[in-house]
């Protein structure tokens, strides 16, 4: 159980275009989803916290208009990188947390496999 | 302030050697959770263990063992008889409540383990 998927697993796009990454919880309802980015040989950096039906909360230094997050349902959150530039190239990882009524632990994040974005 | 320190950036060992990865954390909360994850070259995080702050029992799972010491705020991870397949980056993480049932993770900077044949 507790499976999280991401799509696409990798994407190459041209500078100036927008890219959408999907994060889905496959076997549980995720009240909260998190988005991280990871540069090569670095740790995971939290970008934003996304709660279903409300606006995402962004970490300091993360541009809201650049990284649009939509948590439209209890099983889907999307991250759109708008007007992507080469410096946005990174590994993006999402995670999901189940609701308190679930059999899954409410404090534990279940991670997706990641999406590797390359902007040329 | 919450913080996770993994002082070892990179470790190289020869196959069959034992290796210990260190993790030191800082938190003001009395209730918190600690995790270890493995990140192989594919990038996907592989969950290894969780531990809550009230459970100081050490744990062994096959070749893996964990030593949780609240007195020194450490949660170290030992791999016995290392294998080449253990080569990966290992992350220690701390989770504590942010309010309204939300728990954020603070990740350490990771330790890159290279096991040489």
């Amino acid at each position: 159980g507790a499976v999280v998927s991401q799509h696409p697993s990798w994407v190459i796009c041209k500078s100036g275009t927008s890219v959408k990454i999907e994060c889905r919880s496959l076997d549980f309802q995720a009240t909260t989803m998190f988005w991280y980015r990871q540069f090569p040989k670095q740790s995971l950096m939290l970008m934003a916290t996304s709660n279903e039906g409300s606006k995402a909360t962004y970490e300091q230094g993360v541009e809201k208009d650049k990284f649009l997050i939509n948590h439209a349902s209890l099983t889907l959150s999307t991250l759109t990188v708008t007007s992507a530039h080469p410096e946005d190239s990174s590994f993006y990882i999402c995670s999901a947390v189940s609701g308190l009524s679930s059999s899954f632990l409410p404090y534990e994040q279940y991670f997706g496999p990641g999406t590797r974005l390359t902007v040329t | 302030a919450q913080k996770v320190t993994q002082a070892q950036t990179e470790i190289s060992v020869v196959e069959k050697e034992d290796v210990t990865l260190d993790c030191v954390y800082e938190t003001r909360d009395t209730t918190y959770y600690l995790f270890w994850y493995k990140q192989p070259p594919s990038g996907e995080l592989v969950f290894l263990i969780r531990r809550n702050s009230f459970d100081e029992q050490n744990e062994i799972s096959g070749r893996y063992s964990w030593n949780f010491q609240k007195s020194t705020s450490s949660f170290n991870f030992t791999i016995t008889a290392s294998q080449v397949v253990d080569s990966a980056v290992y992350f220690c993480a701390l989770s504590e409540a942010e309010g309204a049932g939300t728990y954020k993770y603070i990740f350490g900077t990771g330790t890159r383990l290279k096991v040489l044949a």
Side-chain angles (χ1 to χ4, degrees):
Chain A
V3 179
V4 177
S5 71
Q6 278 184 246
H7 179 79
S9 54
W10 60 270
V11 56
I12 302 173
C13 71
K14 290 189 176 180
S15 191
T17 61
S18 294
V19 175
K20 180 185 284 189
I21 302 170
E22 292 185 349
C23 177
R24 292 181 186 273
S25 55
L26 300 184
D27 51 0
F28 66 99
Q29 292 187 325
T31 52
T32 303
M33 287 184 171
F34 298 89
W35 286 96
Y36 297 84
R37 68 186 298 182
Q38 184 182 29
F39 291 109
K41 297 195 176 183
Q42 292 190 26
S43 187
L44 283 75
M45 184 189 78
L46 179 64
M47 298 174 68
T49 303
S50 162
N51 291 298
E52 186 265 340
S54 61
K55 287 185 180 179
T57 302
Y58 291 81
E59 296 298 302
Q60 196 170 9
V62 178
E63 298 176 59
K64 302 178 185 182
D65 297 330
K66 175 77 171 173
F67 299 100
L68 299 179
I69 292 172
N70 183 13
H71 195 154
S73 76
L74 285 172
T75 58
L76 173 65
S77 175
T78 59
L79 167 67
T80 301
V81 183
T82 61
S83 188
H85 288 99
E87 58 266 29
D88 298 323
S89 298
S90 189
F91 191 56
Y92 292 88
I93 304 174
C94 74
S95 70
V97 178
S98 71
L100 290 174
S101 61
S102 158
S103 57
F104 297 117
L105 301 168
Y107 53 80
E108 183 159 345
Q109 297 183 24
Y110 300 97
F111 290 87
T115 296
R116 197 164 300 280
L117 169 64
T118 302
V119 185
T120 61
Chain B
Q2 314 95 310
K3 189 178 175 182
V4 176
T5 302
Q6 293 181 255
Q8 304 148 308
T9 306
E10 187 167 314
I11 301 175
S12 291
V13 297
V14 177
E15 209 171 16
K16 296 184 184 176
E17 284 185 358
D18 298 347
V19 58
T20 295
L21 309 182
D22 298 333
C23 174
V24 175
Y25 62 92
E26 293 176 30
T27 177
R28 293 165 296 188
D29 285 5
T30 54
T31 301
Y32 54 89
Y33 303 88
L34 295 163
F35 301 83
W36 274 96
Y37 289 89
K38 174 182 179 179
Q39 188 178 42
S42 64
E44 183 165 1
L45 285 174
V46 177
F47 166 81
L48 296 177
I49 191 171
R50 84 175 69 80
R51 187 53 99 224
N52 75 56
S53 51
F54 300 108
D55 182 2
E56 283 194 75
Q57 268 193 323
N58 292 330
E59 180 154 337
I60 298 175
S61 176
R63 296 184 297 107
Y64 296 169
S65 62
W66 291 269
N67 183 0
F68 178 27
Q69 302 245 341
K70 282 180 78 171
S71 59
T72 55
S73 297
S74 65
F75 187 41
N76 296 336
F77 171 34
T78 298
I79 301 175
T80 303
S82 59
Q83 300 176 1
V84 173
V85 293
D86 296 327
S87 297
V89 180
Y90 291 85
F91 289 100
C92 179
L94 165 70
S95 172
E96 52 183 37
E98 290 278 319
T102 300
Y103 291 79
K104 279 188 181 178
Y105 277 27
I106 298 107
F107 280 90
T109 48
T111 296
R112 182 174 301 273
L113 174 64
K114 291 185 179 179
V115 182
L116 308 171

